[in-house]
Amino acid sequence: MTADAEPTPAAVPASTPAAAAPPAAAHPPAAPAAAAPPAAAPPTAPPPAARRPPRAASVFDVAKLAGVSHQTVSRVLNDHPSLRPTTRQRVLDAMRELDYRPNLAARALVTSRSRIVGILSTAGGEYGPSSSIAAVETAARGRGYSVSIANADGLDQASIDEALNHLVALAAEGIVVIAPQPKVLDTLAKLTFSVPYVTVQTLGTTDESETALDQLHAARLATAHLAELGHTRIGHLAGPQDWIDASSRLAGFQQELAARGLPEAPIVTGDWSSESGYREGAALLAQGVTAVFSANDQMALGLLHAAHDAGLRVPDDLSVVGFDDTPEARHYLPALTTVRQDFAEAGRRALDLLLDDRDAAPSVDPVLVLRESTAAPASTPDA
Amino acid sequence: MTADAEPTPAAVPASTPAAAAPPAAAHPPAAPAAAAPPAAAPPTAPPPAARRPPRAASVFDVAKLAGVSHQTVSRVLNDHPSLRPTTRQRVLDAMRELDYRPNLAARALVTSRSRIVGILSTAGGEYGPSSSIAAVETAARGRGYSVSIANADGLDQASIDEALNHLVALAAEGIVVIAPQPKVLDTLAKLTFSVPYVTVQTLGTTDESETALDQLHAARLATAHLAELGHTRIGHLAGPQDWIDASSRLAGFQQELAARGLPEAPIVTGDWSSESGYREGAALLAQGVTAVFSANDQMALGLLHAAHDAGLRVPDDLSVVGFDDTPEARHYLPALTTVRQDFAEAGRRALDLLLDDRDAAPSVDPVLVLRESTAAPASTPDA
DNA sequence: ATCGTTAATGTGATCGATCACATTAAGGTC
DNA sequence: GACCTTAATGTGATCGATCACATTAACGAT
């Protein structure tokens, strides 16, 4: 039941069998270089001049066919209350017949609303940010918005500016900042004009301070778990400190240790990747710890690997707690104890916040997911 | 270097003390419900009527300030060759002074070119597709295009149509299909009007047949590796068969077995997730195999877990080959032998193809990455 | 001196929608 | 019946850019 061709063109206007359509290429490739004219290669050549095929139907075409004015067509589009049902139907029929599709550019021009939400991301293909992006997109489309993304590849100011400018040029009505870094927020704050924005700080609240608290709380949860198992030398495998998430997890870690009167603990910093977890994790183990709180699951995996190489058994010789609860975490060996975050929900809420200005929905509390990578220390000192 | 204030705004910690900043919200929130008028709640209420603040500068404003005609301003924008340098400069200065930004909607309206590339994706937050998306975005922006995404959440026709219609409504000039499924391609092929599109089939070529070959080749590579180690009962942990990638990997697997005269092998089907790899992998192991080719790394991880639970040692009792080479694969225990794919490059090429119509750049050959999850079978029958 | 060519610039129409402001017809009220 | 209100619809201006088509000046070539 893959496509289910023939009988009914399904619901959506998309298909329509197109009776005896000419063979024509299924996917004409961009219609670009219009058979390159012999000589003449304009320096800053504008796009090769797109041919303008049949030209789509406009409100006027629809109006004519339906025997009404263009304004009435517009009223149908925006479902105005004062419209005789028969008239509306006549217009709708005309639209269908002409396969009419409103021109969003024209609409945006006159209303000066782009109906575009921008996503500013600094991530590549990581699980968390990607999940949030997908969720934001779905939610936005459901509310009649389009989503344009702009990645700031590097962490450098130039690429951030570039990405942000792109979104501003698009006249995005709001920007969702995914995986925010202070540098990005600084840049946003310094804009001369105002663009509404919210941050998806993996926990989906908007106010910096509040969000930091969420992350902090979650990190304390993880640290507390290790402490309560009886560990006293607990290390931290931190994320890059120019990420807000990373620094608040670190802060949470430190606060919890302090609150429990546990001594200064070894801390190393990775870049979120398993590779860094492996490398930095080895360094951490060399300093002698019985438990580690890793700022994300990927790095925890690297740490698991490093521990294995060092001949340490997890959780017997070493306890490990991750952060995020990626779908893979429960299949690591051993299954990883971690803190669950709902990235998709975070994305959705960020969008709600952006579009509705309703107060930050109370965020889902992060939960600690107990699995097999944590246990009491081997030579438990006991109290 | 847009913002670039003055000295140094601190580097690390998340919380910028924010000197004596007024409590006020740093980022104006969407300017929504304009203080709801007492009574009157229009049934199908249009958006709360955005207030129109100062209204940005247009070509006319710039023209006036520069003492030229609006058309000359336009020529500067499109860097027309016949322009006296002094004039151009005068216009540029005026633009800067007014903080002029061209209105893309107006431009799109008159040129009937949206400069939008759509991404149609069926994936959530998976590594491969996400990497490709990021790469497409960066490449597109570099070429002056914007990228709008549309996820088809479900595999159902309705959500595919919806996502596709969205992109079409945006007047996307081309569509990059990520992680394509036949259902999606069918839908595209049935469109009455033509939208250029290309597929990123994890290997970045465009023509279905050709791409299938790439995947097929890679799958044969993996299978051959196991066969050459001496395995004769080789199982396959397949991906969902309504994904083109999955079915061509399966086909490659089968072809290679056939070519070597190896007997029918047990095949189970997962959904790309580790969880399914664990579940289906257990089923596969129950059928007695000495090696498994998994259609992706995540499922391979689940299989590793299942093997561990079953008391099998990898690679001693069981060899496993994955597919994709995610960044985590080399930190699995044991490190996973897998087939590397370059998702980012694939995304880039797809875009080139879409915009240039240059023949498919020769695709990067997938390579087999040997690590520790494969070895000769224990009780090697030998030839 | 006249004409043609090119560089440099201006004028007005145009894209396709919505908005602001009529206009018409119907129905109620007094 | 005069008058107001509301439903239902139409007319023309408008958004901000580019396009098509002038126009002007300068420079050679004849």
Side-chain angles (χ1 to χ4, degrees):
Chain A
M1 56 159 72
T2 311
D4 190 76
E6 22 129 53
T8 7
V12 195
S15 16
T16 332
H27 46 102
T44 52
R51 43 122 201 213
R52 180 165 323 155
R55 188 164 93 271
S58 77
V59 272
F60 290 90
D61 301 314
V62 173
K64 190 180 302 174
L65 181 58
V68 299
S69 78
H70 63 105
Q71 176 63 348
T72 296
V73 176
S74 173
R75 282 192 254 260
V76 171
L77 285 175
N78 300 284
D79 43 40
H80 184 99
S82 302
L83 260 186
R84 192 168 299 156
T86 64
T87 307
R88 181 197 310 282
Q89 192 52 51
R90 209 145 23 97
V91 172
L92 288 175
D93 290 345
M95 286 180 172
R96 177 134 351 113
E97 174 155 351
L98 297 177
D99 191 25
Y100 169 78
R101 293 165 185 276
N103 182 318
L104 299 192
R107 179 176 295 170
L109 177 57
V110 67
T111 60
S112 44
R113 315 233 305 97
S114 66
R115 297 229 141 232
I116 288 177
V117 168
I119 291 187
L120 182 56
S121 165
T122 56
E126 291 96 9
Y127 169 73
S130 302
S131 307
S132 293
I133 290 176
V136 168
E137 189 280 321
T138 302
R141 184 145 47 86
R143 289 156 141 280
Y145 281 80
S146 302
V147 171
S148 275
I149 36 179
N151 289 95
D153 307 313
L155 308 173
D156 58 302
Q157 191 64 39
S159 83
I160 292 174
D161 286 343
E162 221 177 290
L164 184 55
N165 279 334
H166 180 75
L167 295 180
V168 170
L170 280 180
E173 293 181 27
I175 295 179
V176 178
V177 184
I178 306 255
Q181 302 168 257
K183 217 186 274 179
V184 175
L185 299 184
D186 279 359
T187 308
L188 272 162
K190 288 209 193 84
L191 289 178
T192 52
F193 45 86
S194 72
V195 185
Y197 69 89
V198 296
T199 63
V200 177
Q201 215 133 310
T202 60
L203 275 176
T205 53
T206 183
D207 187 346
E208 290 82 327
S209 54
E210 181 178 350
T211 304
L213 282 178
D214 280 333
Q215 297 268 335
L216 216 125
H217 172 64
R220 293 190 66 158
L221 221 60
T223 311
H225 168 59
L226 293 173
E228 270 162 17
L229 284 172
H231 292 277
T232 52
R233 272 191 71 74
I234 306 176
H236 181 42
L237 186 45
Q241 291 302 303
D242 53 356
W243 286 59
I244 292 177
D245 304 276
S247 61
S248 45
R249 286 171 206 177
L250 169 60
F253 169 74
Q254 292 175 317
Q255 282 185 18
E256 186 65 22
L257 287 191
R260 291 174 175 270
L262 288 175
E264 59 182 37
I267 294 172
V268 295
T269 303
D271 64 6
W272 296 129
S273 73
S274 294
E275 186 60 27
S276 72
Y278 179 68
R279 188 182 349 105
E280 303 302 328
L284 195 57
L285 296 179
Q287 296 182 50
V289 294
T290 63
V292 175
F293 165 43
S294 169
N296 79 347
D297 288 352
Q298 280 79 25
M299 291 197 296
L301 176 64
L303 172 64
L304 253 26
H305 185 190
H308 180 264
D309 282 4
L312 295 175
R313 299 185 60 86
V314 177
D316 311 297
D317 307 321
L318 178 76
S319 285
V320 176
V321 178
F323 206 101
D324 284 354
D325 193 24
T326 59
E328 283 72 45
R330 65 158 298 199
H331 296 288
Y332 289 173
L333 295 178
L336 189 70
T337 291
T338 185
V339 179
R340 174 171 301 157
Q341 305 217 82
D342 190 338
F343 296 101
E345 181 61 19
R348 258 172 259 130
R349 292 192 178 184
L351 190 80
D352 285 347
L353 200 57
L354 183 67
L355 298 183
D356 301 340
D357 189 32
R358 73 166 74 108
D359 276 330
S363 63
V364 223
D365 281 325
V367 314
L368 183 69
V369 182
L370 296 178
R371 288 203 272 251
E372 300 158 16
S373 65
T374 51
S379 55
T380 161
D382 209 342
Chain B
M1 53 169 79
T2 308
D4 189 47
E6 14 137 54
T8 357
V12 188
S15 53
T16 322
H27 40 99
T44 52
R51 42 117 204 222
R52 177 167 326 156
R55 188 164 93 269
S58 76
V59 272
F60 290 91
D61 302 313
V62 174
K64 190 181 304 174
L65 182 58
V68 298
S69 78
H70 63 107
Q71 175 62 352
T72 296
V73 177
S74 173
R75 282 191 254 261
V76 171
L77 285 174
N78 299 282
D79 44 39
H80 184 100
S82 304
L83 260 187
R84 191 170 298 155
T86 64
T87 307
R88 180 196 311 283
Q89 192 53 52
R90 206 144 26 94
V91 172
L92 289 174
D93 290 344
M95 285 180 174
R96 178 138 345 116
E97 172 154 354
L98 296 178
D99 190 26
Y100 169 77
R101 295 166 184 274
N103 182 317
L104 299 192
R107 179 178 293 172
L109 179 57
V110 67
T111 61
S112 44
R113 314 232 310 94
S114 65
R115 296 229 140 232
I116 289 178
V117 169
I119 291 188
L120 181 56
S121 164
T122 55
E126 291 94 9
Y127 168 72
S130 302
S131 307
S132 294
I133 290 175
V136 167
E137 189 281 321
T138 302
R141 184 145 47 86
R143 289 156 141 280
Y145 281 80
S146 304
V147 173
S148 274
I149 37 179
N151 290 96
D153 308 314
L155 309 173
D156 57 301
Q157 191 63 39
S159 83
I160 293 174
D161 286 343
E162 221 177 291
L164 184 54
N165 278 335
H166 180 74
L167 295 180
V168 170
L170 279 179
E173 293 181 27
I175 295 179
V176 177
V177 184
I178 305 255
Q181 302 168 257
K183 218 187 272 184
V184 175
L185 299 184
D186 280 0
T187 308
L188 273 162
K190 289 211 193 83
L191 290 178
T192 52
F193 45 86
S194 70
V195 185
Y197 70 89
V198 295
T199 63
V200 177
Q201 214 134 312
T202 58
L203 277 177
T205 53
T206 182
D207 187 344
E208 290 83 327
S209 53
E210 182 179 348
T211 304
L213 282 178
D214 280 333
Q215 296 269 336
L216 216 125
H217 173 63
R220 293 191 65 159
L221 221 61
T223 311
H225 169 58
L226 293 173
E228 270 160 17
L229 284 172
H231 293 278
T232 52
R233 272 190 73 73
I234 306 175
H236 180 44
L237 186 44
Q241 292 301 301
D242 52 358
W243 286 58
I244 292 178
D245 305 275
S247 60
S248 44
R249 286 170 207 178
L250 170 60
F253 170 72
Q254 292 176 316
Q255 282 184 19
E256 186 64 22
L257 286 192
R260 291 173 175 270
L262 288 174
E264 58 181 39
I267 294 171
V268 296
T269 303
D271 64 7
W272 295 130
S273 74
S274 294
E275 186 60 26
S276 71
Y278 179 67
R279 190 182 347 106
E280 303 304 328
L284 195 55
L285 297 178
Q287 297 181 51
V289 293
T290 63
V292 175
F293 164 44
S294 169
N296 79 348
D297 288 352
Q298 279 80 23
M299 291 197 296
L301 176 65
L303 172 63
L304 253 27
H305 186 188
H308 180 264
D309 282 4
L312 295 174
R313 300 185 60 85
V314 177
D316 312 297
D317 307 320
L318 177 76
S319 284
V320 176
V321 178
F323 205 100
D324 284 355
D325 193 23
T326 59
E328 283 73 44
R330 64 158 299 201
H331 296 287
Y332 290 173
L333 297 180
L336 190 68
T337 292
T338 186
V339 178
R340 174 171 301 158
Q341 306 215 82
D342 191 337
F343 296 102
E345 181 62 18
R348 258 173 258 127
R349 292 193 179 184
L351 190 80
D352 285 347
L353 200 57
L354 182 66
L355 298 183
D356 301 340
D357 188 31
R358 74 165 74 108
D359 277 330
S363 63
V364 224
D365 280 325
V367 313
L368 184 68
V369 182
L370 295 178
R371 289 202 272 250
E372 300 158 17
S373 64
T374 52
S379 56
T380 162
D382 210 343

